[in-house]
Amino acid sequence: MRDFTHDHSALALNTATLGHNLPGHGAGWAPERIIDECAARGLAGIVFWRREIGTRAVGIGERVRAAGMQVVGLCRTPYLVGAEAGTLDEVKASIDTAAALGAPVLTVVTGGTEPGTKGVAESQKILADRVAAVAGHAAGCGVNLALEPLNPMFGGNRTVLFTVADSLRVCDMVGAANVGVAVDVYHAWWDTGLADSCAAAGPRILGYHLCDWLADTCDMLLDRGMMGDGVADLRAIRAAVERAGFTGPCEVEIFSARNWWQRDPREVLDVMVERFRSLC
Ligand code: ZN
């Protein structure tokens, strides 16, 4: 397991930590400001959200690399299943944005149960078909697709994948080398089978997302904790991910409307670095 106590060169920022995943939240820094502040702190890279990239993907990607960092990933595809699913052309357009940005990983949040079906088994099969339909396009663009399981409370309208094991099952159905899984502390901390699932995933782990689960969480979507403020066993989860072979950046992704999005982003970044080195 990597030792980060004196080293945060593997730390990356997901800009959701500054409120950039939703309109009307956070301090609203431009991508250039984010890049400068992350580079000044010696971060490995940045994960952006499509809404802040718009049509500027090429230029923003170049600027990240010129600052000595990498674009670690892009969030995210439109939903692939469920009542709010996008079209395959819309999914391909999000893949094109990731490619233009130079992002090696595009996160997939699946969307909820497919209309006309119940449960998740049928929806997982439909999901696999739709991922398979775009996986070749992504491979041609050099983009990997990370199927991110979400905490089961997001079942219904946001996801049909609840565990890393669920994601791996769909990966197996798709059977494409550029389709894997993202492991997010917020969604996976409770899963007592996580270590076994990570071992089964091996090199298919494409991303590791850091935050914490607050013991008294008051908003299922927008009350994620900073690392160390909650009950997730961060070192055990990272050990499981790294035992599987993961050596990539650790991406901090904190949706926090009441707390961290209310603060000066410079403070958020400074605390993030300190907590990463001392607790993650
Ligand atoms: Zn995540």
Side-chain angles (χ1 to χ4, degrees):
M1 186 169 166
R2 293 174 286 180
D3 179 5
F4 294 140
T5 49
H6 303 291
D7 173 19
H8 63 276
S9 61
L11 172 63
L13 172 75
N14 182 310
T15 62
T17 303
L18 306 184
H20 289 200
N21 54 319
L22 294 173
H25 288 283
W29 279 2
E32 288 78 4
R33 178 87 189 267
I34 299 169
I35 293 165
D36 291 347
E37 297 278 355
C38 287
R41 287 168 177 79
L43 266 58
I46 303 173
V47 178
F48 291 100
W49 285 68
R50 271 193 298 140
R51 59 175 297 274
E52 64 193 330
I53 296 298
T55 58
R56 302 172 58 218
V58 171
I60 291 170
E62 286 173 352
R63 179 154 179 151
V64 170
R65 288 181 286 280
M69 299 184 294
Q70 48 181 307
V71 178
V72 172
L74 179 68
C75 293
R76 55 178 171 67
T77 60
Y79 291 156
L80 280 96
V81 289
E84 297 173 53
T87 65
L88 289 183
D89 280 346
E90 287 168 337
V91 176
K92 286 179 182 171
S94 71
I95 292 168
D96 292 340
T97 300
L101 194 59
V105 176
L106 176 63
T107 301
V108 178
V109 173
T110 69
T113 293
E114 185 73 2
T117 73
K118 302 286 187 184
V120 294
E122 187 62 26
S123 294
Q124 289 181 353
K125 290 179 194 161
I126 296 166
L127 170 67
D129 287 343
R130 291 183 182 163
V131 172
V134 299
H137 179 75
C141 297
V143 172
N144 297 299
L145 302 174
L147 305 180
E148 181 166 355
L150 304 189
N151 192 299
M153 68 192 173
F154 289 117
N157 63 356
R158 285 181 191 271
T159 193
V160 295
L161 302 175
F162 304 132
T163 60
V164 170
D166 278 348
S167 291
L168 291 177
R169 199 175 315 111
V170 172
C171 288
D172 288 341
M173 286 191 250
V174 174
N178 65 320
V179 177
V181 56
V183 178
D184 186 320
V185 164
Y186 189 74
H187 300 302
W189 74 275
W190 57 272
D191 181 1
T192 51
L194 182 64
D196 290 341
S197 299
C198 287
R204 291 182 290 180
I205 297 177
L206 300 176
Y208 175 51
H209 306 173
L210 272 171
C211 65
D212 211 334
W213 180 274
L214 299 175
D216 56 351
T217 187
C218 61
D219 183 309
M220 291 300 177
L221 184 64
L222 301 180
D223 191 31
R224 296 188 184 200
M226 179 64 74
M227 297 85 75
D229 288 345
V231 296
D233 190 344
L234 298 173
R235 288 239 165 89
I237 297 171
R238 185 163 69 83
V241 168
E242 295 194 357
R243 264 200 305 275
F246 182 77
T247 58
C250 305
E251 136 191 2
V252 174
E253 182 186 30
I254 300 172
F255 303 2
S256 176
R258 290 173 181 79
N259 186 356
W260 298 98
W261 292 356
Q262 301 290 334
R263 304 196 193 196
D264 183 330
R266 290 169 297 186
E267 178 197 353
V268 178
L269 294 173
D270 289 340
V271 172
M272 179 182 95
V273 170
E274 192 279 318
R275 296 286 183 89
F276 180 74
R277 291 172 71 121
S278 59
L279 295 168
C280 294

